[in-house]
Amino acid sequence: QVELVESGGGTVQAGASLRLSCAASGLLFSSFAIGWFRQAPGKERELVAVISGDSLYKYYGDSVIGRLDIARDNAKSTASMRLDLTTPSDTAVYYCAATTSRYARKPDLYDFWGPGTRVTVSS
C-alpha cells in the first residue's frame, strides 16, 4: 500500500521560512517524481514545485520562484521543501504527490497523494 505523509505544517510568522517534509512508503521512491501542491481556501489546487526521481529536474511555480528550494533523499524515501520570505498569501493546505511522469505539472497526472498539511502564515 502506497502512502505519502506530509509533516511540518502549522503557523509561521510572515517573513519566516516554512519547512515541509513528505515521507513515502510502499513504492520505489526513486522511480517517482514528487510534486508539491497547495490549495488555499476558495481557490484551485496550485502546483508549487516538482522534483524528478533523480533530482536532476526541478520546476518551481511562478508564485514561489526565488523563495523555494526542494530536495529529496531517495535512500530515506523522503522529500522536502523550504519556502522563504513567507507571506499570508502562502497560507494553504500543502500536499505532496507522486507520479511516474518526469515532468508532470497537472494534478490529474499524479498517482498518489498525501492527506495534506495545513500552513497558516500570520501577518
Side-chain angles (χ1 to χ4, degrees):
Q1 182 179 352
V2 176
E3 186 175 29
L4 300 175
V5 180
E6 305 89 346
S7 61
T11 300
V12 298
Q13 284 286 107
S17 294
L18 167 66
R19 291 175 174 82
L20 301 179
S21 296
C22 174
S25 60
L27 75 171
L28 183 58
F29 190 67
S30 60
S31 295
F32 288 79
I34 297 298
W36 287 95
F37 293 81
R38 68 184 183 185
Q39 188 164 19
K43 295 188 176 181
E44 293 188 355
R45 191 165 295 191
E46 171 193 14
L47 175 64
V48 175
V50 180
I51 182 168
S52 62
D54 57 11
S55 299
L56 294 180
Y57 172 79
K58 296 180 181 180
Y59 168 84
Y60 296 95
D62 291 343
S63 62
V64 297
I65 283 178
R67 300 192 295 131
L68 181 69
D69 185 39
I70 55 175
R72 64 188 293 157
D73 185 336
N74 287 343
K76 296 181 178 179
S77 296
T78 60
S80 62
M81 59 166 277
R82 189 191 77 244
L83 182 63
D84 299 325
L85 301 175
T86 54
T87 72
S89 63
D90 294 317
T91 296
V93 177
Y94 284 73
Y95 302 87
C96 66
T99 177
T100 54
S101 176
R102 184 174 176 83
Y103 305 115
R105 300 184 186 182
K106 297 181 179 180
D108 57 3
L109 294 178
Y110 282 76
D111 304 293
F112 306 105
W113 290 81
T117 185
R118 186 174 301 277
V119 171
T120 301
V121 180
S122 61
S123 57

